[in-house]
Amino acid sequence: MTSLSYWQQGARRPQRPESLRAVRALEEILELPEESLIRLLAESGEGTSGQRSAARSYRSLVEASGVLDQLLAELDCPPDGGLHTLGHHERLRIGARRELAERESHHIVRAHRDGVDRFVAVHHGDRGAVPERMRVHALENCRTGRVRWHDDTGLLAAELLFDTRLRAGDTFLFRFGVEDGTAGVSHEYLRGFDAPGGQYALQVCFDAAALPVRCHRFAQHSAVAPRTGCQDLALSGRHRSVHLVEPRVRTGFLGIGWDWE
């Protein structure tokens, strides 16, 4: 009751887990659409701090989701690609202009049906990105197929073709990279998960000429939910990088954000 009263008066937004449970209960009592009030919390929080202003907005995530469905349809990619992720390691390089210069992904997957011979990689550039100028590099056990993009959202989808057709139960390793560097200053990177999976590791490496003053990890249950699990990350002096490791991912988002001086 206290949390809802503060929110009603405009003094404070519900943020703690128990407060958010009260908001969801209020949605049910008032027979509102699921997460409609939670979405208002997420939207009203944008721009209230450097961290939130740097984050992708709910609207941008929803728009990108709709565009992604169109790109996947153009690539004849079904909702279920036939692969289960056992491990996924991503490495980002932030350049001297503080831009997202490139991203490299190493996947370990298992096929759960016969005949799987490709994977569709998705890259979401920062605000102002020009996907037409991005380059996709097949680095190991794959080759680049069709590539589609959408300029307004900065989305790129690329087909990675395997050199074999997998049978149900087969495991496979492949690696690819995306050369970006087309947008302005980068503030965060988040990875979305549509289904539970195996281990996920994210490493962000910074150029020696552009080091952040603070880094943190975060999680987000959905595009409309507030961020949770925020934890400061120490920048490695030797490698100029930070990382997170999640032993077993759940649906939602995981990411790393950083602040510039």
Side-chain angles (χ1 to χ4, degrees), residues 164-193:
T164 184
R165 286 183 177 271
L166 304 179
R167 296 176 298 178
D170 286 350
T171 57
F172 194 71
L173 287 77
F174 63 97
R175 188 166 55 95
F176 68 92
V178 179
E179 188 179 340
D180 192 339
T182 64
V185 175
S186 182
H187 294 276
E188 69 173 20
Y189 180 81
L190 71 162
R191 165 61 55 187
F193 302 93

Side-chain angles (χ1 to χ4, degrees), residues 61-92:
L61 289 173
V62 170
E63 289 176 351
S65 177
V67 169
L68 179 58
D69 290 340
Q70 298 174 16
L71 298 181
L72 295 180
E74 292 180 20
L75 295 175
D76 305 315
C77 180
D80 178 11
L83 295 171
H84 178 73
T85 299
L86 302 178
H88 182 192
H89 177 203
E90 287 194 291
R91 182 179 182 272
L92 265 66

